[in-house]
DNA sequence: CCTTGATCGTAGTGATCACTACAGCTAGTT
DNA sequence: AACTAGCTGTAGTGATCACTACGATCAAGG
């Protein structure tokens, strides 16, 4: 099957490139140069740019879920409890590039750019669902608390990206103490 | 001075175009077509793309400050009090496009794209400073509360963009309700 | 009227974009 | 050994990008 490059290799390289350079610099040409192939090799596996972006963001989403799985173990009482326990893991410097990419994709989604717009809804729904499974209470309460937790996490992570780790940690202490 | 178009007219048109189409579709060519001029007329006033983007985002920043000025009147006790009073104004549908553009710019900033990256810091600093002036307490406390309020507001507004007004309002009720 | 400078259309630059036609190569199957 | 299916290079498509050289046009001052 694998001749010189497998699909997984190229996808992995694309994710790495996106993490380093940002989605706005993820192009067939740049990626091909980076991986030492021609853009034709990439187009073979990912027939359109939207396909490539979709696959990359899917991998990104999976990795984010992985980070969350590390961050939240079990039965949180409410959004405050959940975020208080998750924050130390979410605030690790290693995952910063992941969230930088997340916010870039989310920004393009709010601007109505495809395919980001179509991908944003399931991605956000995934976060809420995951948070909900960790919380206790009736389904309605768990959903409300999960949405609140998501707003808190996004706000803190965005503050971390824009104002630095120190500001985000101060805000986290104030908000979920 | 003003021949056919003034600088203000073109800048106004650029802001409108960005609000409608997003920053990723703000190009000399598109804007020129939209305004019924050639791109040369735009380049005359804004010698580089970065100049144009910088000016547009400056206007955007001013409008956001205007929205905040409407949202927060005086002496808030803490971040919770501040956000509780500001949210009804920030959640008005009319200002949604403004925040969509804000998140697009912020997303590009987190990805390291210029000139967004350079513009993000003063923009965020402006928000924090504004919030701090509304809060009471010692400078250190006011700054901490302002940062927390910014995280809350950004988180709620982002939730609004991604999951809709209903989810954001539910989360706001939980967080500062 | 003549000059001067501000304004902006005409035309075109090279770069990069996503994407394609086509042919050639390789690895595994028969 | 022939065939097939998978893979990749060569070359080039038209579109769009930011940006420029140059000249025509206009308003206003002397």
């Amino acid at each position: 099957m694998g001749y010189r490059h497998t699909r997984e290799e190229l996808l992995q390289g694309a994710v790495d490139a996106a993490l380093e350079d940002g989605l706005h610099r993820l192009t067939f040409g740049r990626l091909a140069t980076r991986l030492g192939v021609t853009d034709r090799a990439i187009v073979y596996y990912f027939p359109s740019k939207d396909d490539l972006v979709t696959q990359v963001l899917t991998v990104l989403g999976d990795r984010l879920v992985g980070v969350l799985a590390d961050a939240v173990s079990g039965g949180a009482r409410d959004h405050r409890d959940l975020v208080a326990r998750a924050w130390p893991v979410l605030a690790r410097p290693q995952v910063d590039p992941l969230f930088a990419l997340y916010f870039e994709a989310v920004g393009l989604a709010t601007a109505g750019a495809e395919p980001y717009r179509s991908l944003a809804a399931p991605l956000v729904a995934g976060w809420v669902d995951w948070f909900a499974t960790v919380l206790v209470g009736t389904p309605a309460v768990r959903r409300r608390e999960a949405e609140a937790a998501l707003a808190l996490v996004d706000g803190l992570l965005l503050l971390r990206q824009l104002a630095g780790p120190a500001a985000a940690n101060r805000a986290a202490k104030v908000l979920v103490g």
Side-chain angles (χ1 to χ4, degrees), chain A:
Chain A
M1 319 291 181
Y3 177 55
R4 294 194 208 174
H5 300 89
T6 66
R7 185 192 147 88
E8 305 306 322
E9 275 178 11
L10 294 182
L11 180 53
Q12 183 61 43
V15 171
D16 291 343
L19 284 171
E20 287 180 22
D21 300 335
L23 286 168
H24 66 291
R25 289 193 193 144
L26 180 65
T27 68
F28 285 148
R30 283 177 65 96
L31 183 56
T33 302
R34 176 193 172 99
L35 298 180
V37 297
T38 64
D39 61 348
R40 183 61 187 79
I42 301 170
V43 176
Y44 178 79
Y45 292 101
F46 307 95
S48 75
K49 181 74 182 293
D50 282 7
D51 289 327
L52 177 62
V53 170
T54 300
Q55 298 299 323
V56 167
L57 289 187
T58 300
V59 172
L60 169 68
D62 292 344
R63 290 204 191 173
L64 288 174
V65 169
V67 170
L68 291 179
D70 280 351
V72 188
S73 46
R77 291 191 310 275
D78 56 7
H79 65 274
R80 201 179 158 91
D81 185 29
L82 193 160
V83 175
R85 284 197 278 166
W87 181 246
V89 176
L90 297 178
R92 287 180 307 182
Q94 306 99 304
V95 293
D96 262 6
L98 234 60
F99 289 114
L101 217 53
Y102 167 74
F103 285 121
E104 188 182 10
V106 156
L108 289 169
T110 67
E114 295 294 350
Y116 308 97
R117 185 181 148 88
S118 307
L119 292 170
L123 203 149
V124 170
W127 282 68
V128 172
D129 288 347
W130 172 261
F131 282 170
T133 63
V134 176
L135 287 159
V136 298
T138 69
V141 167
R142 285 159 64 179
R143 183 181 168 181
R144 272 207 304 270
E145 293 293 323
E147 286 169 348
L150 177 57
L152 269 181
V153 165
D154 276 351
L156 286 172
L157 287 171
L158 194 53
L159 187 64
R160 180 180 174 87
Q161 293 283 335
L162 296 177
N169 287 333
R170 282 196 299 268
K173 198 164 190 177
V174 170
L175 289 171
V176 298

